[in-house]
Amino acid sequence: MSEVVTPRPPLGCAAVMLGLFRAALQERHLPVTHQREAVAQVLFESGGHLSADDVAERLRGGNGHVGKATIYRTLGLLVEVGLAAEHDFDEGFKRYETRIGPAHNDHLVCTSCGEVVEFHRDELDSLQEQVARDRGFHVLTRQLKLYGLCALCDSESGDALRPAI
Amino acid sequence: MSEVVTPRPPLGCAAVMLGLFRAALQERHLPVTHQREAVAQVLFESGGHLSADDVAERLRGGNGHVGKATIYRTLGLLVEVGLAAEHDFDEGFKRYETRIGPAHNDHLVCTSCGEVVEFHRDELDSLQEQVARDRGFHVLTRQLKLYGLCALCDSESGDALRPAI
DNA sequence: ATCGCTGCAAACGGTTTGCAGGACA
DNA sequence: TGTCCTGCAAACCGTTTGCAGCGAT
């Protein structure tokens, strides 16, 4: 059985990712600006699934101000160079996460508290291949979302009458 | 191996679904209006994944005019009573499909021509249960999307040099 | 010095909402 | 007859874009 890929990037990872971002920019002859570094750093240090507003809010608290347009532009840039992934959890807006190595496509989403947990099962990969072969489909990427209640919200909602004996 | 659930509802199905919709409205003491019937009929007869605009367009051609607000309200109503399902294929808008029996959650989406095909594999259900059990998650619904190229678009994009011998 | 970025604000597009008038039960 | 719907248009909200000025290389 496979295990969580990266619930949280290891310590020091943010710095490494920032370096990769700078390199990617230089490789494309794009300026390495303070704003781009600030946005990338916030995302890399969070280790979670941030919305553009989340990024804006975290920037307001300390690291200086960055316009929302620039935040969107930088997040798009991060996705483009492969250092971030975009997710849509049906909340009416997109979320972004640091992307390390292969894509993280499979998520558990708590519809009560909004928690998002990644998971991976090798069976899914082979299942995907089988379906693609059967249908003559050339699969490029996948998104699997299991919506429901996390253990905490589930116990809060239903177990009020059933204290753990 | 499991097979497609409903690539297209059987003939006469639209009429049955319309009856179910009328019954659901009456049960809730909600008026059965021409507009609601028109929107529901368009969706039921299409058998596909329609956007609100698609519905509006098909209504313009023949069945009389229905305001966009009413279309959105009726589609929401259909979802609420369980006769339609809402899908988001990352196109910037939602699509709706007739829902018969258990939910259709697993789709192949062609990013070139937009074709959407449903599929179902029993293995996915058991896999979902396993993940939920492992994580203490109470899964309520799931969405699996395999994005890529359908057989036709795939052959058009890459096989220009390899004619079928 | 040059090119491209940044910030602001306005535009955009799908969806929702407020309200006056009309239709179902 | 009363309640709820309908249509229009405006509001909404996340995201994108145009443009004048600034900053990185």
Side-chain angles (χ1 to χ4, degrees):
Chain A
M1 183 197 314
S2 43
E3 208 23 73
V4 182
V5 177
T6 50
R8 185 179 312 192
L11 271 175
C13 179
V16 176
M17 296 295 293
L18 247 189
L20 291 175
F21 185 39
R22 287 201 197 92
L25 289 172
Q26 285 164 357
E27 194 177 333
R28 282 146 219 252
H29 305 293
L30 296 175
V32 177
T33 64
H34 297 138
Q35 291 91 335
R36 283 177 174 166
E37 291 191 316
V39 170
Q41 187 164 21
V42 162
L43 183 66
F44 294 155
E45 285 181 348
S46 82
H49 300 75
L50 269 52
S51 66
D53 264 332
D54 290 337
V55 174
E57 195 173 338
R58 296 189 185 209
L59 282 172
R60 235 172 276 130
N63 311 30
H65 171 263
V66 178
K68 199 160 276 188
T70 299
I71 293 175
Y72 278 107
R73 284 187 280 232
T74 303
L75 288 172
L77 202 47
L78 283 163
V79 170
E80 207 173 297
V81 302
L83 296 176
E86 191 185 71
H87 292 289
D88 186 343
F89 298 116
D90 277 321
E91 300 168 293
F93 51 86
K94 301 280 175 60
R95 288 187 178 277
Y96 299 83
E97 87 180 311
T98 306
R99 170 169 167 168
I100 305 171
H104 310 161
N105 297 315
D106 309 324
H107 294 90
L108 289 157
V109 183
C110 178
T111 53
S112 175
C113 69
E115 187 195 16
V116 175
V117 181
E118 293 171 10
F119 69 93
H120 181 78
R121 316 275 301 207
D122 292 331
E123 300 99 304
L124 264 172
D125 297 328
S126 51
L127 203 59
Q128 171 181 316
E129 278 175 36
Q130 281 177 39
V131 173
R133 205 179 320 119
D134 290 355
R135 307 287 172 133
F137 220 88
H138 180 195
V139 175
L140 297 172
T141 183
R142 120 178 134 234
Q143 288 196 359
L144 171 59
K145 301 189 192 103
L146 303 182
Y147 294 96
L149 298 173
C150 67
L152 195 61
C153 291
D154 194 29
S155 63
E156 278 176 3
S157 73
D159 291 355
L161 300 178
R162 177 161 56 90
I165 298 180
Chain B
M1 181 198 318
S2 41
E3 207 25 71
V4 182
V5 177
T6 50
R8 183 180 314 191
L11 270 175
C13 178
V16 176
M17 296 295 293
L18 246 188
L20 290 175
F21 186 38
R22 287 200 198 93
L25 289 174
Q26 285 164 358
E27 194 177 332
R28 282 146 221 252
H29 304 293
L30 295 175
V32 178
T33 64
H34 297 139
Q35 291 91 334
R36 283 175 174 166
E37 290 191 315
V39 170
Q41 187 164 21
V42 162
L43 184 66
F44 293 155
E45 284 181 347
S46 82
H49 300 76
L50 269 51
S51 66
D53 264 331
D54 290 338
V55 174
E57 197 173 338
R58 295 188 187 210
L59 283 172
R60 235 172 275 129
N63 311 28
H65 172 264
V66 177
K68 199 161 277 185
T70 299
I71 292 175
Y72 277 107
R73 284 187 279 233
T74 303
L75 288 172
L77 203 47
L78 283 163
V79 171
E80 208 172 297
V81 302
L83 296 175
E86 190 185 74
H87 292 289
D88 186 343
F89 296 117
D90 277 323
E91 301 168 294
F93 52 85
K94 302 279 176 60
R95 289 186 178 278
Y96 298 84
E97 87 180 312
T98 306
R99 170 170 167 168
I100 306 172
H104 310 160
N105 297 315
D106 309 322
H107 295 89
L108 289 156
V109 183
C110 178
T111 53
S112 176
C113 70
E115 187 195 17
V116 175
V117 180
E118 292 171 12
F119 69 94
H120 182 79
R121 316 274 303 207
D122 292 330
E123 300 100 305
L124 264 173
D125 297 328
S126 51
L127 203 59
Q128 171 180 316
E129 278 176 35
Q130 281 177 40
V131 172
R133 205 178 320 121
D134 289 355
R135 307 288 171 135
F137 221 88
H138 180 194
V139 175
L140 297 172
T141 182
R142 125 180 129 232
Q143 289 196 358
L144 172 58
K145 293 175 200 121
L146 302 182
Y147 294 95
L149 298 173
C150 67
L152 195 59
C153 290
D154 194 29
S155 63
E156 279 176 1
S157 73
D159 290 356
L161 300 178
R162 177 160 57 88
I165 298 181

